[in-house]
Amino acid sequence: MEHYNMNLTLKIWRQKNKNDKGGFQSFQVKNISSEMSFLEMLDVLNEQLINDNQDPIAFDHDCREGICGMCSLYINGKPHGEWKGNTTCQLHMRAFKDGETVTIEPWRAKAFPVIKDLIVDRSPLDRIIQAGGYISVNTGNAVDGNSLPINKDDADASFAAAMCIGCGACVAACKNSSAMLFLSAKVAHLALLPQGAPERHSRVMNMVAQMDKEGFGACTNTGACEATCPKEISISNIARLNLEYLSASIVAEK
Amino acid sequence: MTWKQVFTSSVGKKLVMGFTGIFLILFLIVHVGLNACIWADDGGKMFNAGAHFMGANWVPRILEVGLFLGLILHIIQGLMLVFYNRSKRGIQYAVDYGNKGSKWYSRSMGLLGTIILLFLVLHLSNFWFPNRSNQGFLLGEEINLYQKMEEVFSVLWVVIVYVLGCISLAYHLAHGFQSAFKTFGVYNKRWHSIISTLGFVFAIIVPLMFALMPLSFYFGWIS
């Protein structure tokens, strides 16, 4: 791919804190290399702002290699930008043309209040995990891994669900701000394995209840979450979650 | 976990929508099959015989009560879900995700459903209400429904509204049919491909048959 430099206009959401009203602010960045990542481009802008004694733009990031789930950003109308199966940190500037205007917004959901600028509070997802995303493990000697046979297809499907990095792009993309793709990945991951069996029914009930409590919307199977997910989690996990929920509600004792 | 908790959670509300939706789909099959008798070309004899069975027999009349309950539940739960879900965003995006990730009609079920509801008000006031009031809402004498169809479908704007209602129904079914089965937990891709194909075919054929009924009368395709 040929290297080129570009000048961009950035329309970025600025918000001082949770209670501030917030609004868009425009910035110009010059000589951005097409080989930079999107976050490096923001680093350049922030250095510029710091040199001018202005408040730099707050955004989430950590590993910058597409596996931690920390980066967010709703870029030009799509979570994590235009590329498919990609996180913001792995979005490179060759995705943009010289002179383009790029609009950057935080994840929008009432369950994800803005902390500052582009950073939102995603701890509701942690609390959903705490409500049931765990398994019981005996103390004592470790069991030999080969003593527990698992169907290869189930193991693969479970692993595909376990790929979820909990970034919240599914919530950001969903017209209902629903966390169902996230929740379904976590439930399917454990429901497919024998290790997840002891808490199977209580897990799905408690995690759904927690999701509702956190103020996410309900799923309407539009598929926007699947299309935007950086780890390409399948929407079939949501159907699997529904089945888990239905069967748990049928067998529940109380 | 009480039954109330099961059906009032976000997943449970979807189950209510799915169950009532499939119930209404089953009704559509009965309705379209019976109405197709207008094409028997016998001046409405066969159609009126079918309509008489549906209107003057206790069994379908009791089932009718269930139909209305299912319909009302589907409408109320649907509208509540639309407002519930819409309230979860807060500040809207400046740039919309649009059709890049999902079909417009899958995001417009509330709107399509409302259009169908408005159509239903007209539809019931055209046929169901005059007929039932003539019967004294019991098992009394029915009106000639075939003649009523000829009369109602001679007006252009009514025909247009009916066709628009059918188009809304087609898109509503195109999403609703397969989405209901996803809600019931059909996750296997093998099954889901059959169901979504079936749903698409159903969403085209049934509303098309319904739309052809007013058109047949208006353009005189039946004698």
Side-chain angles (χ1 to χ4, degrees):
Chain A
M1 176 128 342
E2 206 183 326
H3 171 260
Y4 60 97
N5 284 341
M6 69 193 90
N7 300 330
L8 296 171
T9 305
L10 304 174
K11 250 182 86 183
I12 299 177
W13 183 263
R14 302 301 303 267
Q15 187 172 335
K16 283 194 180 71
N17 54 50
K18 197 178 161 181
N19 303 318
D20 182 29
K21 201 164 158 275
F24 282 101
Q25 195 178 345
S26 286
F27 301 92
Q28 305 289 331
V29 280
K30 291 196 168 58
N31 281 325
I32 296 296
S33 161
S34 61
E35 288 176 5
M36 276 182 185
S37 77
F38 196 82
L39 297 185
E40 283 168 335
M41 182 275 293
L42 288 179
D43 292 339
V44 169
L45 171 64
N46 272 348
E47 244 175 80
Q48 210 173 291
L49 290 175
I50 292 165
N51 284 338
D52 295 346
N53 275 330
Q54 289 183 51
D55 195 19
I57 292 145
F59 61 90
D60 264 331
H61 61 103
D62 191 12
C63 77
R64 296 206 178 196
E65 53 186 18
I67 55 171
C68 76
M70 203 57 203
C71 59
S72 53
L73 306 189
Y74 186 91
I75 303 158
N76 280 349
K78 187 175 176 290
H80 292 298
E82 208 192 324
W83 287 356
K84 199 174 154 36
N86 195 66
T87 54
T88 294
C89 63
Q90 293 301 300
L91 177 70
H92 283 71
M93 293 313 291
R94 57 182 177 271
F96 301 92
K97 289 190 282 292
D98 185 30
E100 209 175 313
T101 300
V102 184
T103 308
I104 311 169
E105 300 173 70
W107 285 174
R108 294 282 188 211
K110 271 196 183 157
F112 290 162
V114 171
I115 296 171
K116 190 180 178 188
D117 297 342
L118 301 170
I119 297 180
V120 297
D121 180 4
R122 284 174 280 182
S123 53
L125 299 184
D126 299 336
R127 288 192 290 271
I128 292 175
I129 292 287
Q130 283 162 10
Y134 51 81
I135 57 167
S136 292
V137 178
N138 288 329
T139 53
N141 291 336
V143 183
D144 177 46
N146 292 323
S147 66
L148 200 58
I150 300 171
N151 177 317
K152 175 75 166 72
D153 291 337
D154 287 345
D156 287 350
S158 173
F159 190 75
M163 291 282 284
C164 171
I165 51 176
C167 65
C170 45
V171 179
C174 176
K175 78 170 178 71
N176 308 326
S177 309
S178 171
M180 279 283 272
L181 192 68
F182 165 80
L183 172 61
S184 71
K186 302 304 174 193
V187 167
H189 159 210
L190 297 176
L192 280 157
L193 298 177
Q195 288 91 337
E199 294 92 1
R200 186 171 189 166
H201 296 315
S202 61
R203 173 181 306 119
V204 63
M205 289 298 180
N206 294 340
M207 288 177 87
V208 168
Q210 188 64 34
M211 176 179 72
D212 293 348
K213 212 167 116 189
E214 297 291 349
F216 293 103
C219 173
T220 49
N221 294 325
T222 67
C225 53
E226 182 187 47
T228 204
C229 177
K231 296 296 154 185
E232 302 183 302
I233 302 293
S234 168
I235 197 169
S236 67
N237 286 310
I238 293 184
R240 194 184 283 277
L241 161 77
N242 291 334
L243 185 65
E244 288 292 315
Y245 184 86
L246 194 57
S247 55
S249 67
I250 288 169
V251 300
E253 279 287 344
K254 285 180 273 186
Chain B
M1 166 121 311
T2 63
W3 286 113
K4 190 180 168 231
Q5 282 168 322
V6 170
F7 287 108
T8 52
S9 75
S10 59
V11 180
K13 284 176 192 160
K14 293 294 299 165
L15 282 170
V16 172
M17 291 309 287
F19 285 132
T20 52
I22 294 298
F23 174 62
L24 295 173
I25 281 171
L26 292 174
F27 159 72
L28 284 181
I29 298 171
V30 175
H31 190 14
V32 82
L34 219 135
N35 279 34
C37 295
I38 58 165
W39 290 307
D41 264 354
D42 59 356
K45 235 172 113 186
M46 192 192 274
F47 172 77
N48 275 338
H52 177 68
F53 170 73
M54 296 301 279
N57 187 306
W58 276 117
V59 178
R61 288 299 296 278
I62 290 169
L63 290 175
E64 188 181 44
V65 176
L67 173 67
F68 272 102
L69 288 176
L71 186 65
I72 290 165
L73 194 56
H74 192 78
I75 292 166
I76 292 174
Q77 181 74 94
L79 286 172
M80 279 170 66
L81 267 171
V82 167
F83 292 116
Y84 172 83
N85 286 336
R86 195 165 287 181
S87 73
K88 299 300 178 189
R89 174 114 296 151
I91 301 168
Q92 298 297 316
Y93 287 113
V95 187
D96 197 46
Y97 193 17
N99 293 328
K100 283 173 280 183
S102 55
K103 299 270 190 292
W104 70 268
Y105 54 85
S106 74
R107 301 193 309 273
S108 313
M109 292 298 274
L111 177 69
L112 291 166
T114 307
I115 295 172
I116 297 168
L117 176 61
L118 294 175
F119 158 76
L120 266 182
V121 173
L122 177 72
H123 180 48
L124 291 178
S125 66
N126 283 149
F127 298 104
W128 184 85
F129 190 78
N131 193 32
R132 290 287 178 268
S133 65
N134 203 57
Q135 287 183 296
F137 292 94
L138 291 167
L139 293 179
E141 185 68 26
E142 293 152 274
I143 58 172
N144 185 334
L145 281 169
Y146 187 81
Q147 241 174 39
K148 187 80 182 164
M149 275 176 104
E150 283 181 315
E151 185 191 309
V152 168
F153 295 144
S154 63
V155 185
L156 182 63
W157 73 265
V158 177
V159 174
I160 292 171
V161 171
Y162 270 66
V163 171
L164 288 177
C166 291
I167 292 170
S168 303
L169 178 66
Y171 279 110
H172 199 75
L173 287 169
H175 178 72
F177 192 106
Q178 51 87 25
S179 180
F181 285 93
K182 279 185 184 165
T183 303
F184 302 153
V186 180
Y187 60 82
N188 325 42
K189 290 207 171 69
R190 207 162 58 95
W191 277 105
H192 195 73
S193 62
I194 293 176
I195 288 166
S196 42
T197 310
L198 187 70
F200 246 86
V201 172
F202 188 91
I204 293 167
I205 291 179
V206 172
L208 184 67
M209 296 250 299
F210 276 127
L212 281 173
M213 288 164 194
L215 292 173
S216 293
F217 278 103
Y218 189 76
F219 291 108
W221 294 337
I222 32 178
S223 49

